[in-house]
């Protein structure tokens, strides 16, 4: 990825966080952070040097010596304070996020809030990091387990949720006793950095949380660093596969949440208005830049007659700058993203899908330079078409048809991705059959974007996930800890109990 070379004196610079201090990078490689609605350069982000990555890891490694022994109640209280600070600064955080990423203000607040839920969950670590005890497993012998931190952990986050996904990662890693090195997306790191400022204000000690910025070279440095024990990644399949292969080869524990092609089945008995509204929100919200967005709707039987109603509702959505009130669909994050999405729409037309609603060349008065693509709908989409096979990551909804629920399930299970799926129906029997037979990690029943609350874990599957354990919830406590099993016997006196040359406990 190329970095720009705008003179440093023209705009503010994003800092690194190393050893509790926000420091200016000494790199010669920078990238502009651009408002996607206006093309205004908001700031410049550095591509950290190898020495700066090493310094961040060294700071985390040194801080781990004391942080790992910090009382669990003290760790929990920091995150109680942190969630309070996030709530107090919600409006500010949403405004920063909207300016650099393009989301509408309500969606930006939702981005922050879903991360806040994980922070709240982290504050309950006293109940989450419990071990197990079996008393008197043999004569006077007890066995118990300890969930102990790993050491320095790292996170690599994407552009589409610059608040939520960092908050999925570092709070749970840190509250379990680890230290952390975070690499935010170089496209929109400003809200992430503000969250890190608040984290330090909440009481996270110097060196426990560190931040480096950059592209492929920094990602590789994190994957290769011998002192990093575990890496959490969310992003594209291409980069995620690279991270997983490279980091596991280096002996690290890795979880990668990657690309998706999420389907929703619409049964003919579904509540029509609720189902259509849900499809619109799940397909076009955040300009379709969600890994859990519904990008394919499989209309079963007579539900195919609802296409004109879906198109008409979509025409009523307002496209514009995220900061404006009443906007439903904001801009795509970059000019490159805009060109990619419009190019895929072109491919869809060329390959024979019917373009029911065309969002190309969408101009917003006052924001003529913005990366806008309006809601776009194709019908007659089939596997093998580029718009079906590829993750578009834009406000494009593909409509496919099926004669039965069996045919619809077969189509979804044949797709290599398994991030999320949904069914809209009023039949309990159909819903139960769907949840049992579908081979996808996260299932919604009349819920279009079934992202679990933090008491559970994000559970994408198949090509959408590499690694056994998911982010947040109970699974991530296991990811960020090592289980140590202790078998202990204490004697009441010096009486010898005899020599035992077997492996049994007596």
């Amino acid at each position: 990825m190329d970095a720009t070379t705008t003179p440093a004196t023209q705009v503010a610079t994003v800092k690194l966080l190393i050893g509790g201090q926000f420091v200016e990078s000494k790199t010669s490689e920078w990238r502009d952070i651009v408002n996607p609605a206006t093309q205004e350069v908001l700031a410049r982000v550095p591509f950290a040097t190898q020495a700066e990555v090493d310094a961040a890891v060294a700071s985390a490694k040194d801080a781990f010596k004391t942080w790992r022994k910090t009382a669990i109640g003290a760790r929990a209280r920091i995150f109680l304070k942190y969630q309070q600070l996030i709530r107090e600064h919600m409006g500010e955080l949403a405004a920063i996020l909207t300016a650099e990423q393009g989301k509408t203000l309500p969606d930006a607040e939702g981005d922050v809030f879903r991360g806040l839920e994980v922070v709240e969950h982290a504050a309950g670590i006293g109940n989450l990091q419990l071990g197990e005890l079996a008393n008197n497993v043999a004569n006077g012998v007890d066995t118990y387990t300890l969930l102990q931190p790993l050491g320095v952990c790292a996170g690599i986050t994407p552009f589409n949720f610059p608040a939520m996904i960092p908050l999925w990662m570092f709070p749970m890693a840190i509250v379990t006793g680890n230290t952390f090195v975070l690499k935010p997306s170089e496209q929109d790191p400003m809200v992430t950095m503000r969250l890190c400022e608040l984290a330090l204000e909440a009481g996270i000690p110097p060196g426990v949380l560190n931040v480096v910025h950059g592209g492929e070279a920094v990602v590789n440095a994190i994957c290769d660093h011998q002192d990093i024990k575990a890496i959490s990644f969310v992003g594209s399949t291409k980069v995620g596969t690279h991270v997983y292969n490279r980091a596991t080869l280096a002996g690290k524990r890795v979880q990668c949440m990657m690309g998706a092609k999420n389907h929703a089945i619409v049964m003919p008995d579904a509540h029509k208005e609720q189902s259509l509204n849900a499809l619109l929100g799940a397909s076009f919200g955040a300009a379709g830049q969600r890994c859990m967005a519904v990008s394919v709707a499989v209309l079963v039987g007579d539900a195919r007659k609802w296409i004109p109603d879906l198109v008409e509702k979509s025409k009523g959505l307002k496209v514009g700058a995220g900061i404006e009130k009443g906007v439903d669909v904001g801009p795509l994050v970059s000019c490159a993203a805009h060109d990619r999405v419009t190019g895929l729409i072109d491919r869809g037309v060329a390959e024979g899908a019917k373009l029911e609603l065309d969002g190309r060349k969408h101009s917003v008065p006052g924001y003529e330079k913005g990366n806008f693509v309006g809601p776009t709908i194709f019908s007659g989409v089939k596997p093998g078409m580029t718009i079906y096979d590829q993750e578009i990551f834009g406000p494009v909804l593909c409509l496919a048809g099926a004669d039965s629920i069996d045919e619809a399930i077969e189509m979804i299970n044949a797709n290599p991705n398994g991030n999320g799926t949904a069914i809209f129906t009023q039949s309990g029997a159909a819903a139960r059959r769907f949840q049992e037979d579908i081979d996808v990690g996260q299932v919604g029943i009349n819920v279009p974007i079934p992202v679990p609350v933090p008491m559970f874990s994000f559970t994408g599957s198949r090509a959408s996930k590499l690694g056994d354990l998911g982010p947040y919830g109970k699974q991530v406590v296991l990811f960020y800890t090592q289980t140590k099993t202790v078998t202990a016997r204490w004697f009441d006196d010096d009486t010898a109990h005899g020599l035992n040359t077997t492996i049994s406990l007596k």
Side-chain angles (χ1 to χ4, degrees):
M1 184 178 295
D2 294 332
T4 58
T5 55
T6 303
T9 56
Q10 293 185 9
V11 292
T13 56
V14 177
K15 306 299 189 287
L16 307 173
L17 174 56
I18 300 176
Q21 300 295 319
F22 292 94
V23 297
E24 193 79 66
S25 175
K26 296 181 180 179
T27 187
S28 60
E29 190 177 9
W30 297 80
R31 176 183 174 131
D32 290 342
I33 303 169
V34 178
N35 184 320
T38 65
Q39 306 308 318
E40 172 194 2
V41 177
L42 303 173
R44 300 170 69 247
V45 62
F47 280 33
T49 65
Q50 179 67 54
E52 289 167 339
V53 174
D54 291 342
V57 177
S59 174
K61 183 179 180 181
D62 186 61
F64 178 67
K65 298 173 185 176
T66 53
W67 179 247
R68 69 188 302 268
K69 295 184 180 298
T70 300
I72 199 166
R75 285 184 255 142
R77 283 189 289 275
I78 289 173
F79 287 93
L80 283 171
K81 176 64 174 177
Y82 190 35
Q83 62 89 18
Q84 176 189 345
L85 289 172
I86 292 174
R87 288 183 181 277
E88 291 173 355
H89 292 83
M90 181 70 74
E92 174 198 355
L93 293 164
I96 296 171
L97 199 160
T98 293
E100 64 178 342
Q101 203 275 343
K103 290 185 180 184
T104 65
L105 280 171
D107 196 24
E109 287 194 2
D111 188 329
V112 178
F113 182 78
R114 290 309 302 266
L116 172 62
E117 290 181 317
V118 177
V119 176
E120 292 171 338
H121 194 60
I125 190 61
N127 291 322
L128 299 174
Q129 202 171 346
L130 296 175
E132 299 174 313
L133 168 68
N135 181 246
N136 212 38
V137 295
N139 186 26
V141 177
D142 303 325
T143 299
Y144 52 93
T145 60
L146 308 174
L147 299 183
Q148 297 189 316
L150 302 175
V152 181
C153 300
I156 301 167
T157 64
F159 76 85
N160 58 330
F161 285 94
M164 180 185 77
I165 294 179
L167 291 176
W168 279 7
M169 294 182 184
F170 73 79
M172 293 306 300
I174 288 172
V175 82
T176 49
N178 301 284
T179 55
F180 206 79
V181 177
L182 176 66
K183 195 213 83 69
S185 169
E186 64 275 19
Q187 297 189 70
D188 49 7
M190 294 168 62
V191 69
T192 309
M193 295 309 295
R194 184 66 183 117
L195 286 166
C196 291
E197 290 175 359
L198 295 176
L200 297 191
E201 185 178 339
I204 290 180
V208 173
L209 173 61
N210 304 271
V211 183
V212 293
H213 305 285
E216 183 178 356
V218 174
V219 169
N220 288 342
I222 290 171
C223 292
D224 296 342
H225 205 292
Q226 63 180 2
D227 290 328
I228 293 177
K229 305 302 181 184
I231 297 176
S232 180
F233 170 91
V234 176
S236 71
T237 298
K238 179 180 178 181
V239 179
T241 302
H242 169 77
V243 167
Y244 185 83
N245 290 338
R246 188 161 183 150
T248 52
L249 187 64
K252 304 186 191 315
R253 187 178 294 188
V254 188
Q255 58 176 209
C256 291
M257 304 295 121
M258 306 183 299
K261 196 68 178 183
N262 304 315
H263 298 65
I265 294 176
V266 183
M267 298 297 291
D269 68 343
H271 190 291
K272 183 177 179 180
E273 289 301 308
Q274 290 181 359
S275 300
L276 294 182
N277 288 337
L279 281 178
L280 292 184
S283 303
F284 304 136
Q289 298 173 121
R290 294 172 175 152
C291 66
M292 288 291 289
V294 171
S295 55
V296 180
V298 186
L299 308 180
V300 177
D302 286 344
R304 283 175 278 198
K305 297 178 181 178
W306 299 355
I307 293 176
D309 302 279
L310 183 62
V311 172
E312 197 60 32
K313 275 182 171 288
S314 301
K315 290 178 180 178
L317 296 176
K318 182 179 179 181
V319 181
I323 198 169
E324 294 188 332
K325 292 183 178 180
V327 169
D328 301 298
V329 182
L332 294 169
V333 70
S334 67
C335 294
H338 174 275
D339 292 345
R340 180 180 181 276
V341 170
T342 54
L344 284 168
I345 296 172
D346 294 341
R347 288 285 297 274
V349 173
E351 293 177 3
K354 183 180 179 182
L355 187 58
E356 301 278 357
L357 182 62
D358 189 354
R360 294 171 295 182
K361 299 180 181 179
H362 202 105
S363 180
V364 176
Y367 297 92
E368 286 78 10
K369 295 182 179 180
N371 307 319
F372 297 103
V373 175
T376 299
I377 299 176
F378 281 102
S379 64
V381 177
K382 300 177 181 179
M385 293 181 175
T386 304
I387 56 172
Y388 180 86
D389 293 343
Q390 291 190 20
E391 184 176 20
I392 299 174
F393 229 60
V396 180
L397 176 61
C398 298
L399 303 178
D403 293 329
S404 66
I405 187 173
D406 291 332
E407 184 181 341
I409 290 173
E410 183 178 352
M411 176 185 292
I412 296 172
N413 286 346
N415 191 278
N417 294 291
N419 212 31
T421 188
I423 188 171
F424 295 94
T425 182
Q426 295 187 65
S427 167
R432 193 174 192 284
R433 183 172 187 179
F434 177 72
Q435 75 177 29
E436 290 295 317
D437 293 348
I438 206 71
D439 185 17
V440 175
Q442 292 158 136
V443 177
I445 297 172
N446 297 315
V447 175
I449 303 179
V451 177
V453 294
M455 289 78 77
F456 296 86
S457 191
F458 196 92
T459 53
S461 61
R462 292 191 281 156
S464 295
K465 176 183 178 183
L466 289 171
D468 296 330
L469 299 171
Y472 68 80
K474 295 178 181 179
Q475 290 188 15
V476 87
V477 174
L478 296 177
F479 179 76
Y480 284 126
T481 60
Q482 178 67 46
T483 301
K484 181 181 289 184
T485 305
V486 180
T487 302
R489 169 181 277 169
W490 298 96
F491 299 106
D492 294 330
D493 52 44
D494 286 338
T495 303
H497 288 261
L499 178 66
N500 183 8
T501 60
T502 72
I503 62 170
S504 64
L505 293 172
K506 296 180 180 178

